[in-house]
Amino acid sequence: MSFELSEFNERLKKTKQSMQAKEIDVLLVSNPANMNYLSGYDGWSFYVPQLLVLLIDEDQPFWIGRAQDANGAKATTWLDENHVIPYPEDHIQTTERHPMDFVCSILKEIGQSKRTIGLEMDAYYFSAQSYVKLKEGLPDAAFKDATNLVNYVRIIKSDAEISFMKKAAKIVEKAMQKGIEQVAVGARQCDVAAAIVHQQIVGTEEYGGDYTAIVPLLPSGEHTSTPHLTWTDERYETNTPVLIEIAGAYKHYHSPMARTVYLGQPSKKMIDLSSACIEGINTTLAAIKPGMTGEEVEQVWRKVIHKYGFEKESRAGYSVGLNYPPDWGEHTASFRPGDQTLLKPNMTFHLMPGIWMDDVGFECTEAIRITENGCEPFADFPRKLFIKP
Amino acid sequence: MSFELSEFNERLKKTKQSMQAKEIDVLLVSNPANMNYLSGYDGWSFYVPQLLVLLIDEDQPFWIGRAQDANGAKATTWLDENHVIPYPEDHIQTTERHPMDFVCSILKEIGQSKRTIGLEMDAYYFSAQSYVKLKEGLPDAAFKDATNLVNYVRIIKSDAEISFMKKAAKIVEKAMQKGIEQVAVGARQCDVAAAIVHQQIVGTEEYGGDYTAIVPLLPSGEHTSTPHLTWTDERYETNTPVLIEIAGAYKHYHSPMARTVYLGQPSKKMIDLSSACIEGINTTLAAIKPGMTGEEVEQVWRKVIHKYGFEKESRAGYSVGLNYPPDWGEHTASFRPGDQTLLKPNMTFHLMPGIWMDDVGFECTEAIRITENGCEPFADFPRKLFIKP
C-alpha cells in the first residue's frame, strides 16, 4: 500500500464528518481517484461500474466491482476480504443485467436500502443509467447529490501526498526537458509525444512514473488557438509555436507543467504575449499566500495581462493532485472570478496562465503548493519562451 | 479529415435509420468515439460535457462543447461553422452553472424541446447529473435510452476503417516485439511499459501511432490472477509469468493483442494452460465464419479448454474498433453465452481467450476481421508461450 493505515483512517474520518454535515448515511464512491484515496484501490477497471460503499456507522467501506478485479482489490486495498464483493462476469456490458442491480441487492442485504444515500452525480464513470437503476432498485432510499464530497476532503494534502507530488515534479522536469529537446523543424509530432511519454513512465532511476490522467497535449501552429487537440504524425515546420502541456505522475499523483517552444523567429506579438504571461505568472507566484481566495489569485494575474492588452476567459488555475483519466484536475477550487475558497497550507494547484488566441497561443504553468507564508512550485524549470531557430 | 464526406453521410444515414426504427427524433451523442464517428471530432476534451445533436430531419448534426474547444471542432469536423456551438468557460467544473442547462436552451432555441430525445444513458462521459439537468430543463420532451445505438451502427466497418485497423496492427506487432524483448529478470516493469508505449506512439516510419484507449496491462507473478493492475517500478524476478495486453492505435482505431512471457522454467501447469489456450484460439480462428452467432464462437473455444480441464467465466471476445479511453471495446457483440449477434463480413473482434486463475494466468489473443468465408487476424505474430530462461 502507498500510505499508512492511519492515513486511510484519517481520510475516512474526514469523509464521514462531511457525510454527517450533509446528512448522508451511505456514500457510493465511483470516482476512481476517490476510490483510491479512501481504500487504496488501483487498477484500470473503471471502464466497468465499480464503487466503494461507505456507511456512516461502519469502520470499513465495501468495494463492489467486477469478479475479475476482486483479486486486484485484495492486492491493492487495506480492506478485509469480506469487504471485497465481486459481481458476476455476466453483468459486463450487456443490457440483460446491470451491475447496479447487484449493488441494490447488496445494499438491501446489509440493511442500507432505506437510508439517505449520497451519489457522485457528476463524477466520471457514474452513468445516468447507473443512477436510474439505483433509483428503481431502492425505492425506499432517499438520494442526495454528493458530487465532489470526497474531492473536497482531498483538497488539503498530507505530507506523504506532498512527497508524491514532489516525485511527480522530478518526472515532469525530465519529460519537459525531453520534449523541448525533441521539438524541431522536421520532427514528427508523434515522435516528440513518444519521447515525452517514455520519460513520464520511466520516471527516474530511483522510482518509476505512472500513466498521466491526460496524454501530452502538443498543439502547434494555428492549433495553438485550441488547447485539446492531440498529436498527429505531421512534421513541424518553421515559424511555428508549439505548446507542451504535460504532467509527471507518481502513484497517480500529478505535477503538471506547460511550456512553449517557438521554432524560427517569433513575431513581436508572440514575444509580447510570452512576456506578459511570464510576468503574470511570476507576479502571481509572488503574491499567493494562505488566506487569499481563489478569485483574488486570478485578479493578480488578470491585472498584469490587462496592462499589456491581453484577455483570458478561462481559469488561471485549479486544484490538482491524485487522479485518473480523463482529467488531473480535482474539480474543487479554481482561480477564477467568484471562487471563494480560502487558500490553506498544503493545498496544491496547477497555476495555469495560458492564453490561446485565434492566431497564436502561449502557456507557461507551474504546479504549486500553498506554504505557511506563500507558495512554492513543485518543479524547478526555466520560465521563458524556448526559441529554437 | 480522416474519411471522405460521403462516408460520414453514410454513417449519418444509418444512424438516422436506427433513430427512426426506435422513434427517436433527436439524438444526443456523448460517447467520444460516436462523436468522432459521426462528425470527425477529435480532441482530449471529453473530460468536460460535450455532445453532438442529431436531428432526424436535418442533414448536419450540431456540435456543442466548451468555448475553448470550438476551434478544435472547426479544425477536425466536416460541420459548418454555424453547427459548432460553444458554451462559455464559466460553465466548467462549477456547481453554479451546468453545461446541460446550456444544451437545454439551445434545444429550445432550435425548436426541439418537445420531441423524443434519445440519450446514451450508459455511455462514458454522460453523467447522472447531465441526465437530471436535461429532464429538468426539458419538461415537455420525452426521453428514450439510446445507449449503444451508434455503437451498433459502427459494428460493420467500412473498407477505409479496416485499412486503419490494419495500420494499427502493424503498430501492435512492433510494440509487442518491443515488450517481449524488454521483459527480463531484473528489468523494471515501468521501463518495459515505457518502451511499449513509445513504440505505440512512434508507430512506423510511414505513419505515427495514437494513444490507446487502455494503457499497457502487464500483470506478472501472482498478479496474473487479476488482469487490470497496471505497472509498478518493481523488477521482474525469475520464475514469473508476465502477461502483455496492449493495442496499436491509428487515428483511434485499435488492434489489440495479448501475449504471455515466462521468465525462468515454466511449471507443467503453466505449459498445460498455455497449450490449451493456444489450441483453443487456433481452433476458434479456424471455425469462425459469417452466419455464426457470438455464443457459437464461445462454444468452440470452451469445448477445447474443457477438454483440458480449464474453465473461463469471462467473455472470449468482443467487438472492437474506434475508441477513446477508458475502453477499446465497442460494447455491442461479445463471444459469450446468450449472444445472438450474427457474424457478418467486416465485423471486427478482439478474440480474447485468456485464462486467469488464482495462481497463474495465460493470454494469447488476436484482433480479427470477419471475412466472406471465415476470419483473418489483423496482425501476424507467433502464438506461443514466450519463454525467457
Side-chain angles (χ1 to χ4, degrees):
Chain A
M1 281 196 313
S2 304
F3 297 95
E4 301 287 331
L5 185 54
S6 58
E7 182 154 347
F8 285 111
N9 280 325
E10 188 62 25
R11 296 170 178 186
L12 264 185
K13 197 177 115 191
K14 287 184 191 157
T15 304
K16 285 185 185 176
Q17 284 166 353
S18 178
M19 288 168 64
Q20 199 138 34
K22 295 176 172 64
E23 297 181 331
I24 290 169
D25 306 316
V26 179
L27 181 65
L28 303 190
V29 176
S30 313
N31 174 323
N34 292 343
M35 290 180 72
N36 176 298
Y37 185 74
L38 295 171
S39 74
Y41 182 67
D42 186 24
W44 191 285
S45 55
F46 38 86
Y47 69 91
V48 298
Q50 56 180 18
L51 45 77
L52 291 181
V53 183
L54 267 71
L55 309 182
I56 192 79
D57 38 20
E58 285 273 352
D59 285 343
Q60 271 191 45
F62 292 93
W63 177 96
I64 304 181
R66 181 179 183 177
Q68 231 176 47
D69 298 315
N71 279 339
K74 290 172 192 165
T76 59
T77 71
W78 57 272
L79 308 178
D80 297 342
E81 292 217 355
N82 60 4
H83 282 75
V84 172
I85 306 177
Y87 62 77
E89 286 295 321
D90 64 7
H91 285 57
I92 295 299
Q93 295 172 1
T94 169
T95 50
E96 314 267 310
R97 286 161 293 274
H98 198 280
M100 288 301 148
D101 297 336
F102 182 89
V103 170
C104 290
S105 71
I106 295 294
L107 287 175
K108 283 178 192 160
E109 200 178 308
I110 61 175
Q112 305 298 319
S113 63
K114 299 180 181 177
R115 302 186 82 181
T116 299
I117 300 177
L119 302 176
E120 295 180 319
M121 292 292 288
D122 223 358
Y124 305 120
Y125 313 123
F126 182 68
S127 72
Q129 187 68 6
S130 288
Y131 171 61
V132 169
K133 287 288 177 186
L134 288 172
K135 290 260 283 186
E136 285 174 3
L138 300 169
D140 299 326
F143 292 96
K144 280 199 176 170
D145 184 10
T147 303
N148 294 341
L149 184 154
V150 181
N151 304 48
Y152 273 102
V153 174
R154 282 162 45 201
I155 197 169
I156 296 181
K157 274 68 184 172
S158 70
D159 291 342
E161 290 180 289
I162 295 291
S163 77
F164 281 17
M165 291 178 74
K166 286 185 175 167
K167 286 184 168 179
K170 291 278 171 239
I171 296 171
V172 80
E173 288 169 6
K174 284 172 173 282
M176 183 59 75
Q177 188 61 43
K178 193 72 81 170
I180 293 170
E181 275 166 29
Q182 297 277 321
V183 168
V185 174
R188 297 193 308 178
Q189 295 180 18
C190 57
D191 294 337
V192 177
I196 291 170
V197 177
H198 184 267
Q199 189 65 58
Q200 285 174 324
I201 301 176
V202 161
T204 73
E205 279 180 27
E206 294 76 38
Y207 50 86
D210 221 319
Y211 57 89
T212 52
I214 306 178
V215 294
L217 296 170
L218 302 168
S220 65
E222 61 182 19
H223 285 170
T224 56
S225 70
T226 185
H228 297 126
L229 298 186
T230 52
W231 65 84
T232 70
D233 53 15
E234 284 167 32
R235 292 177 192 277
Y236 291 108
E237 293 179 5
T238 193
N239 292 325
T240 305
V242 183
L243 309 185
I244 305 178
E245 185 180 344
I246 59 175
Y250 179 74
K251 293 185 187 292
H252 307 293
Y253 281 82
H254 289 71
S255 277
M257 180 192 283
R259 290 294 184 271
T260 303
V261 179
Y262 196 90
L263 299 175
Q265 279 307 318
S267 65
K268 181 167 181 310
K269 185 173 182 184
M270 183 75 206
I271 288 175
D272 290 349
L273 177 65
S274 64
S275 304
C277 284
I278 289 164
E279 186 180 324
I281 188 167
N282 288 337
T283 306
T284 311
L285 284 169
I288 290 174
K289 56 175 191 261
M292 280 173 90
T293 61
E295 84 176 351
E296 283 167 351
V297 174
E298 200 267 350
Q299 280 158 9
V300 177
W301 148 255
R302 178 185 293 260
K303 207 170 150 186
V304 178
I305 58 164
H306 272 200
K307 194 170 71 183
Y308 294 100
F310 295 108
E311 295 277 351
K312 178 186 157 91
E313 201 196 340
S314 54
R315 297 178 294 179
Y318 48 80
S319 187
V320 73
L322 174 66
N323 243 318
Y324 286 83
D327 191 11
W328 56 51
E330 281 187 338
H331 300 195
T332 51
S334 289
F335 297 152
R336 66 175 154 194
D339 191 292
Q340 297 303 321
T341 312
L342 283 178
L343 301 193
K344 291 183 185 162
N346 275 9
M347 285 185 177
T348 52
F349 291 91
H350 185 201
L351 177 62
M352 224 224 140
I355 294 185
W356 306 278
M357 294 189 291
D358 273 345
D359 53 345
V360 75
F362 181 83
E363 276 185 272
C364 178
T365 78
E366 296 287 357
I368 60 168
R369 173 176 86 89
I370 310 300
T371 62
E372 293 299 327
N373 315 305
C375 78
E376 65 183 15
F378 279 104
D380 178 12
F381 205 88
R383 289 193 279 276
K384 63 173 191 177
L385 174 62
F386 292 82
I387 300 172
K388 296 181 77 169
Chain B
M1 282 196 313
S2 304
F3 298 95
E4 302 286 333
L5 185 56
S6 58
E7 181 152 348
F8 285 112
N9 280 326
E10 186 62 26
R11 295 171 179 186
L12 264 184
K13 195 176 117 192
K14 287 185 192 158
T15 304
K16 285 185 185 176
Q17 284 166 353
S18 179
M19 287 168 66
Q20 199 139 34
K22 294 177 173 65
E23 298 179 331
I24 290 169
D25 307 315
V26 179
L27 181 65
L28 303 190
V29 176
S30 315
N31 174 324
N34 292 342
M35 289 181 72
N36 176 299
Y37 185 74
L38 295 170
S39 74
Y41 182 66
D42 185 25
W44 190 285
S45 55
F46 38 84
Y47 69 92
V48 297
Q50 57 180 17
L51 44 77
L52 291 181
V53 183
L54 267 72
L55 308 182
I56 193 78
D57 37 22
E58 286 273 353
D59 285 343
Q60 271 191 45
F62 292 93
W63 178 95
I64 303 180
R66 182 180 183 177
Q68 228 176 50
D69 298 316
N71 278 340
K74 290 171 192 166
T76 60
T77 71
W78 57 272
L79 308 178
D80 296 342
E81 291 216 356
N82 60 3
H83 282 76
V84 172
I85 306 177
Y87 62 78
E89 286 295 322
D90 64 6
H91 285 56
I92 295 299
Q93 296 173 1
T94 169
T95 51
E96 314 268 310
R97 287 161 294 272
H98 199 279
M100 288 301 148
D101 297 336
F102 181 90
V103 171
C104 290
S105 71
I106 296 293
L107 288 175
K108 283 178 192 159
E109 200 176 310
I110 60 174
Q112 304 298 320
S113 63
K114 297 179 182 179
R115 300 185 84 181
T116 299
I117 300 178
L119 303 175
E120 296 180 318
M121 292 292 288
D122 223 357
Y124 305 120
Y125 313 122
F126 182 67
S127 73
Q129 188 67 6
S130 288
Y131 171 61
V132 169
K133 288 286 176 188
L134 288 173
K135 290 261 283 186
E136 285 174 2
L138 300 168
D140 298 326
F143 292 97
K144 279 199 176 171
D145 185 11
T147 304
N148 294 340
L149 184 153
V150 181
N151 305 48
Y152 273 102
V153 174
R154 283 162 45 201
I155 197 168
I156 296 180
K157 274 71 185 170
S158 70
D159 291 342
E161 291 180 287
I162 294 292
S163 77
F164 282 16
M165 292 178 73
K166 285 185 176 168
K167 286 184 167 180
K170 290 279 171 235
I171 296 172
V172 79
E173 288 169 5
K174 283 172 172 282
M176 182 60 76
Q177 188 61 43
K178 193 72 80 169
I180 293 170
E181 274 166 28
Q182 298 277 321
V183 168
V185 174
R188 297 193 308 178
Q189 296 180 19
C190 57
D191 294 337
V192 176
I196 291 169
V197 177
H198 184 267
Q199 189 67 57
Q200 285 173 324
I201 301 176
V202 162
T204 73
E205 279 180 30
E206 293 77 36
Y207 51 86
D210 221 318
Y211 57 88
T212 52
I214 306 178
V215 294
L217 296 170
L218 302 167
S220 65
E222 60 182 19
H223 286 171
T224 56
S225 69
T226 185
H228 298 125
L229 298 187
T230 52
W231 63 84
T232 70
D233 54 14
E234 285 167 30
R235 291 177 190 279
Y236 291 108
E237 293 178 7
T238 193
N239 292 324
T240 305
V242 183
L243 309 184
I244 304 178
E245 184 179 345
I246 59 176
Y250 180 74
K251 293 185 187 291
H252 307 292
Y253 281 82
H254 289 72
S255 277
M257 179 193 284
R259 290 293 184 270
T260 303
V261 179
Y262 197 90
L263 300 175
Q265 279 307 317
S267 64
K268 181 168 181 308
K269 186 174 182 184
M270 183 75 207
I271 289 174
D272 290 349
L273 177 64
S274 63
S275 305
C277 284
I278 290 164
E279 186 179 323
I281 188 167
N282 288 336
T283 306
T284 311
L285 284 169
I288 290 174
K289 56 174 192 260
M292 279 174 91
T293 61
E295 84 175 352
E296 283 168 349
V297 174
E298 200 269 351
Q299 280 159 8
V300 176
W301 148 255
R302 178 185 292 260
K303 206 169 150 186
V304 177
I305 59 164
H306 272 200
K307 193 171 72 182
Y308 294 101
F310 294 108
E311 295 277 352
K312 178 185 157 89
E313 201 196 339
S314 54
R315 297 178 293 180
Y318 49 80
S319 187
V320 75
L322 174 66
N323 243 319
Y324 286 83
D327 190 13
W328 56 51
E330 281 188 338
H331 300 195
T332 51
S334 289
F335 298 152
R336 65 176 156 195
D339 191 291
Q340 297 302 321
T341 312
L342 283 178
L343 301 194
K344 290 183 185 161
N346 276 9
M347 285 186 179
T348 52
F349 291 90
H350 186 200
L351 177 61
M352 224 224 140
I355 294 184
W356 307 278
M357 294 189 291
D358 273 344
D359 52 346
V360 76
F362 181 83
E363 276 185 272
C364 179
T365 78
E366 296 287 357
I368 59 169
R369 174 175 84 89
I370 309 301
T371 61
E372 293 298 327
N373 314 306
C375 78
E376 65 184 13
F378 279 103
D380 177 14
F381 205 88
R383 289 193 279 276
K384 63 175 191 175
L385 174 62
F386 292 82
I387 299 172
K388 295 181 77 167

